[in-house]
Amino acid sequence: MFNDENIVDTIIKRTIILSFIIIGIIIIGIKNPEPFVLGYIFGVSVNILTFKLMEKSIEKAVTMEPSKAYGYSVKQYMIRYLIYAIVLTVGVLADYLSILTIVLGLFMIKIVILSMAVVDQLKNKFK
């Protein structure tokens, strides 16, 4: 499916491309798009950064002995969820951000990964 490409970089590139498309749709389709675009950019940026944090923590955890890797992985997991909680709290409190588009931005990596899996299944089905 990805040959020798770095899968994380591929997912991030596709997320950015899809994000530009979504931002364009928001700008064209909504009368006052600023809070929606800012919220979306905020959500996607945090989502990409936490995805990179996950990549780095996985790379480090696989080099550790299992007992230390478990504790390290749990700690990194909690840190990522704390980041998400802070982002959502800022989104609720900030008048200039749309919480709806922040949440959409936080799900973009998952949406890209699932769409890549669906496309891959469809390609295999019609071969």
Side-chain angles (χ1 to χ4, degrees), residues 5 8-26 40-41 44-45 48 108-109 111-112 115-116:
E5 294 178 51
V8 172
D9 291 340
T10 302
I11 291 169
I12 290 173
K13 287 176 190 174
R14 291 181 183 187
T15 302
I16 292 170
I17 292 168
L18 183 60
S19 294
F20 281 127
I21 294 168
I22 291 173
I23 289 171
I25 292 169
I26 291 172
Y40 183 77
I41 290 171
V44 167
S45 300
I48 289 173
M108 286 310 298
I109 294 284
I111 292 169
V112 168
S115 66
M116 288 169 60

Side-chain angles (χ1 to χ4, degrees), residues 57-127:
S57 64
I58 290 170
E59 286 175 358
K60 186 172 180 181
V62 296
T63 62
M64 296 177 164
E65 60 185 65
S67 60
K68 289 183 181 180
Y70 176 77
Y72 176 76
S73 298
V74 169
K75 186 170 89 173
Q76 291 297 311
Y77 183 79
M78 292 300 166
I79 289 171
R80 285 193 305 275
Y81 273 96
L82 177 65
I83 291 169
Y84 287 137
I86 292 169
V87 167
L88 291 172
T89 303
V90 168
V92 168
L93 297 176
D95 295 343
Y96 56 92
L97 297 173
S98 168
I99 189 68
L100 178 68
T101 54
I102 290 174
V103 171
L104 176 64
L106 290 176
F107 279 106
M108 286 310 298
I109 294 284
K110 291 173 183 65
I111 292 169
V112 168
I113 291 170
L114 289 173
S115 66
M116 288 169 60
V118 168
V119 168
D120 192 45
Q121 287 294 324
L122 290 174
K123 282 181 182 177
N124 290 337
K125 184 176 182 179
F126 293 112
K127 277 188 177 179

